């Protein structure tokens, strides 16, 4: 089956004359791990911001599960099951790891406007939150402040928080950026483990991660799609070699 | 209870003990003035301390609470507690549209928008007939509580104000330590992330704003009854500035900070009153020392040193 979960049609975003994303038509297959690569300034993160509605496209359409989401607000997109992570690790630093995950569970399961109730009603989410933390190897960190965790563990916490929403599709913005070798391996293993039943679109700079993990790769340069295909196809593409690999290995 | 942890529970018991003995040691009207200022600062702290939004126009809600409580008391002769609560209704009713406009921006823009809106409220109060313009609303009767307790007795009035203050104080604490409060803190920490988890953050900010303005209105209402007067000073931007000063001095985002800050500021105003303009100069100096030497405020600094959660 070649079902498409997320599709963009000639998605374009201009910033006062500068075209950051120029007529990008993406099509992400349900259940795949799809990578978005390209040199700095190629428009990868802008694409993410457009897909999750943190930015509004100037032109073009975005379809998620066949539904037009072009005009929706970011929180609505998240509620539909399209959840993103951020390039800079996005945790709530002055809350504990457990509270971080609980915040996602609390949203998914309601009761978030109750200002007259004790926060102890949230204890019923503790078990599920701990299970999610254990899943990403943070079973020791439940009571620690998220801001105090080492970088790799912050990223793991971020993934645990995202998974708490049980999203159909995850958008991961450079999940291994700035990590040491061991942490990279751990995150890659984690992504493999969470993959069943989900679709993942990720921006990634580390090509060895992309090679081992991703089914389809889209290469962006200067806001346009340069090439698309599996790793072998894309890495053999002459323009990709000059535009991306060429500069990366210069 | 009310989500207080051990340190905070001890602090609260101490606070209640002080509330009980204070009118026997100090002049009750002075303590009432302090409590009104403290409740106002606690309400303000809900926005700055837990949502991370600095409102520079909170006097509008405090002052409107004053006017509405004074007016309803004087013209409708309603119960004293009802008049104070009318102040809260006024604060919330004004907070809803103004908050709806202001929460669309954050940081300095939020502060400037709240200031601008509060100035509009100020000029409305100068012109509107019901406020009495420059004269304000004077000779407001304190009336009766539940129809039979005569509040012209300072001690009776004191217990009412102390009860209103304590209820407001505990309500704010409950709000901060509720499922809703947890979301507020996440917005303060990282708003884009809260959005990406599916929270419509504007809704949360607006509810917090209205709760804050409602309690500011209650504080204003109580003050109007204590002094029997509602004037332009209560809606003036200097009152907005004073609540910022009070909260910073006591400690942003701490439970007891605004109360301690109010105690310091109101005491300075009272005991230094005979030095005239020097009050303002002294306040300015204290404020500068606070910002330079102990940025966490009095309570924030004590809590950090002793590793307590106050």
């Amino acid at each position: 089956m070649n079902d498409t979960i997320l599709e963009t049609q000639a998605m374009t975003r201009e910033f006062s004359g500068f075209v950051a994303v120029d007529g990008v038509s993406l099509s992400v297959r349900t259940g795949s791990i799809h990578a978005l690569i390209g040199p700095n300034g190629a428009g990868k993160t802008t694409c993410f911001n457009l897909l999750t509605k943190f930015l509004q496209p100037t032109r073009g359409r975005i379809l998620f599960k066949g539904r037009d989401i072009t005009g929706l607000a970011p929180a609505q997109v998240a509620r539909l099951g399209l959840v993103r992570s951020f390039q800079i690790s996005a945790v709530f630093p002055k809350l504990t790891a457990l509270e971080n995950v609980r915040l996602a569970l609390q949203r998914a399961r309601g009761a978030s406007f109750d200002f007259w109730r004790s926060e102890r009603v949230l204890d019923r989410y503790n078990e599920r939150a701990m299970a999610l933390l254990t899943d990403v190897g943070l079973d020791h960190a439940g009571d620690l402040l998220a801001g105090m965790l080492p970088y790799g563990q912050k990223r793991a916490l971020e993934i645990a928080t995202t998974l708490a929403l049980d999203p159909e599709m995850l958008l991961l913005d450079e999940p291994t950026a700035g990590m040491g070798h061991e942490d990279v391996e751990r995150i890659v293993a984690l992504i493999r483990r969470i993959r069943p039943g989900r679709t993942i679109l990720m921006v990634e700079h580390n090509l060895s991660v992309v090679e081992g993990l991703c089914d389809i790769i889209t290469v962006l340069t200067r806001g346009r799609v340069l090439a698309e295909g599996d790793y072998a196809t894309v890495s053999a593409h002459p323009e990709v070699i000059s535009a991306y690999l060429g500069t990366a290995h210069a | 209870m009310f989500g207080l942890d051990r340190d905070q529970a001890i602090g609260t018991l101490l606070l209640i003990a002080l509330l009980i003995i204070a009118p026997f040691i100090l002049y009750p009207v002075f303590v009432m003035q302090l409590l009104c200022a403290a409740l106002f600062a606690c309400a303000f702290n809900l926005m700055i301390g837990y949502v991370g939004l600095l409102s520079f126009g909170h006097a509008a809600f405090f002052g409107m609470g004053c006017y509405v409580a004074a007016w309803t008391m004087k013209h409708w002769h309603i119960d004293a507690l009802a008049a104070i609560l009318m102040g809260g209704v006024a604060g919330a009713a004004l907070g809803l549209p103004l908050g709806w406009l202001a929460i669309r921006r954050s940081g300095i823009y939020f502060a400037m928008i709240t200031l601008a809106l509060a100035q509009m409220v100020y000029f409305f109060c100068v012109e509107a007939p019901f406020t009495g313009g420059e004269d304000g609303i004077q000779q407001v009767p304190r009336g009766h509580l539940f129809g039979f307790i005569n509040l012209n007795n300072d001690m009776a009035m004191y217990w009412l104000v102390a009860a209103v203050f304590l209820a407001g104080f505990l309500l704010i604490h409950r709000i901060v330590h509720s499922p809703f409060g947890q979301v507020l803190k996440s917005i303060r920490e990282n708003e884009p992330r809260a959005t990406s988890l599916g929270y419509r953050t504007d809704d949360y900010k607006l509810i917090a704003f209205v709760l804050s303005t409602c309690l500011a209105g209650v504080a204003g209402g109580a003050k109007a009854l204590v002094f029997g007067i509602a004037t332009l000073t209560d809606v003036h931007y200097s009152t907005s500035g004073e609540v910022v000063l009070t909260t910073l001095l006591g400690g942003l985002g701490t439970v007891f900070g605004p109360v301690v800050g109010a105690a310091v500021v109101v005491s300075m105003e009272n005991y230094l009153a005979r030095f005239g303009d020097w009050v303002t100069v002294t306040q300015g100096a204290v404020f500068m020392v606070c910002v330079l030497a102990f940025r966490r405020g009095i309570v924030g600094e004590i809590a950090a040193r002793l590793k307590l959660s106050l």
Side-chain angles (χ1 to χ4, degrees):
Chain A
M1 231 169 75
N2 231 10
D3 244 355
T4 301
I5 185 164
L6 181 73
E7 190 182 356
T8 68
Q9 298 168 349
M11 182 172 73
T12 301
R13 170 70 197 198
E14 295 170 5
F15 293 104
S16 53
F18 169 71
V19 186
V21 172
D22 190 358
V24 168
S25 295
L26 271 180
S27 165
V28 180
R29 223 171 52 222
T30 308
S32 65
I33 300 187
H34 194 129
L36 211 53
I37 66 170
N40 285 328
K44 305 181 296 286
T45 296
T46 309
C47 268
F48 261 41
N49 285 330
L50 291 170
L51 292 174
T52 48
K53 309 311 303 158
F54 278 71
L55 283 174
Q56 190 60 26
T58 315
R59 280 185 297 281
R61 292 210 308 158
I62 304 166
L63 303 168
F64 180 62
K65 291 192 283 183
R67 176 177 168 183
D68 192 330
I69 60 163
T70 318
L72 297 189
Q76 288 175 297
V77 174
R79 282 155 186 255
L80 289 176
L82 176 62
V83 180
R84 69 172 298 177
S85 74
F86 291 83
Q87 200 168 355
I88 302 156
S89 86
V91 294
F92 304 117
K94 286 183 186 161
L95 302 177
T96 66
L98 186 78
E99 285 174 320
N100 266 265
V101 178
R102 234 169 40 177
L103 267 159
L105 291 170
Q106 182 188 342
R107 208 284 287 146
R109 298 172 186 208
S112 292
F113 282 108
D114 299 359
F115 61 79
W116 57 90
R117 297 172 78 176
S118 166
E119 62 191 345
R120 249 171 280 159
V121 301
L122 297 175
D123 285 350
R124 61 189 145 127
Y125 301 136
N126 284 359
E127 203 177 319
R128 177 89 188 102
M130 264 329 280
L132 283 157
L133 284 175
T134 309
D135 215 23
V136 299
L138 289 177
D139 42 325
H140 64 284
D143 292 331
L144 301 179
L145 289 184
M148 307 296 277
L149 296 175
Y151 184 75
Q153 295 187 11
K154 273 188 199 147
R155 305 287 333 217
L157 173 59
E158 199 190 332
I159 292 180
T161 310
T162 307
L163 286 177
L165 293 174
D166 198 17
E168 269 182 71
M169 181 163 182
L170 279 84
L171 270 62
L172 304 175
D173 198 352
E174 300 197 29
T176 68
M179 277 187 189
H181 189 63
E182 276 177 31
D183 278 337
V184 171
E185 277 176 12
R186 193 180 318 182
I187 294 289
V188 169
L190 181 59
I191 292 173
R192 265 188 233 279
R193 202 137 44 81
I194 63 173
R195 138 168 230 185
R198 302 181 210 282
T199 309
I200 298 171
L201 176 66
M202 59 196 279
V203 167
E204 185 54 70
H205 270 305
N206 189 332
L207 289 180
S208 61
V209 170
V210 172
E211 181 179 12
L213 197 59
C214 301
D215 308 308
I216 299 181
I217 298 155
T218 301
V219 186
L220 286 182
T221 49
R222 295 183 200 156
R224 289 165 181 272
V225 176
L226 183 67
E228 193 171 82
D230 59 20
Y231 187 80
T233 318
V234 166
S235 58
H237 198 290
E239 274 184 80
V240 174
I241 294 168
S242 69
Y244 187 79
L245 303 175
T247 50
H249 293 284
Chain B
M1 224 171 91
F2 296 102
L4 295 159
D5 67 22
R6 202 189 51 130
D7 300 343
Q8 292 162 350
I10 294 169
T12 305
L13 289 176
L14 203 66
L15 183 69
I16 293 171
L18 282 173
L19 280 178
I20 292 169
I21 57 168
F24 299 104
I25 303 169
L26 300 159
Y27 179 44
V29 174
F30 164 71
V31 187
M32 284 191 270
Q33 185 190 0
L34 195 161
L35 290 178
C36 294
L39 180 57
F40 183 30
C42 287
F44 172 78
N45 188 38
L46 179 63
M47 281 314 282
I48 179 75
Y50 298 100
V51 194
L53 288 175
L54 168 64
S55 163
F56 226 95
H58 253 48
F61 314 108
F62 179 80
M64 199 50 81
C66 274
Y67 277 126
V68 169
W71 195 91
T72 49
M73 198 65 210
K74 196 165 177 175
H75 295 278
W76 290 353
H77 308 289
I78 56 175
D79 193 83
L81 183 61
I84 292 175
L85 294 178
M86 280 302 286
V89 171
L94 191 61
L96 186 64
L98 267 52
W100 184 79
L101 281 167
I103 50 126
R104 275 139 219 289
R105 294 286 173 268
S106 56
I108 189 75
Y109 303 102
F110 177 82
M112 288 300 112
I113 291 170
T114 47
L115 175 62
L117 291 171
Q119 284 303 93
M120 287 164 64
V121 172
Y122 177 81
F123 286 109
F124 169 78
C125 290
V126 171
E127 297 296 332
F130 90 99
T131 62
E134 301 282 346
D135 298 331
I137 305 174
Q138 298 183 17
Q139 288 162 336
V140 180
R142 282 186 184 171
H144 292 75
L145 177 62
F146 307 131
F148 67 94
I149 303 170
N150 186 352
L151 295 174
N152 285 318
N153 177 343
D154 274 348
M155 285 308 275
M157 188 70 206
Y158 176 81
W159 297 121
L160 172 62
V161 172
V164 166
F165 163 77
L166 198 62
F169 177 82
L170 291 174
L171 174 64
I172 289 170
H173 199 77
R174 166 43 59 86
I175 293 168
V176 170
H177 295 279
S178 68
F180 174 77
Q182 194 74 13
V183 180
L184 286 186
K185 282 180 237 170
S186 80
I187 293 171
R188 178 192 67 189
E189 301 273 295
N190 192 335
E191 187 171 349
R193 181 55 172 162
T195 304
S196 82
L197 293 179
Y199 287 111
R200 280 186 287 263
T201 55
D202 280 357
D203 295 358
Y204 291 85
K205 288 195 264 186
L206 182 57
I207 292 172
F209 192 82
V210 173
L211 287 167
S212 170
T213 59
C214 174
L215 286 162
V218 169
K223 196 203 148 193
L225 259 60
V226 169
F227 291 99
I229 187 169
T231 67
L232 286 173
T233 312
D234 302 318
V235 275
H236 195 249
Y237 69 86
S238 60
T239 303
S240 295
E242 195 169 286
V243 77
V244 177
L245 170 80
T246 303
T247 310
L248 275 176
L249 193 61
L252 286 185
T254 61
V255 180
F256 299 100
V259 183
V260 173
V264 173
V265 170
V266 174
S267 301
M268 277 200 301
E269 276 168 11
N270 269 271
Y271 295 108
L272 300 177
R274 59 203 159 103
F275 299 113
D277 286 344
W278 285 98
V279 178
T280 322
V281 177
T282 317
Q283 274 186 352
V286 168
F287 184 61
M288 278 195 290
V289 169
C290 170
V291 171
L292 292 173
F294 49 107
R295 248 176 256 187
R296 282 179 282 225
I298 298 167
V299 172
E301 208 64 40
I302 293 172
R305 293 272 163 85
L306 304 179
K307 299 200 183 339
L308 298 173
S309 57
L310 298 172

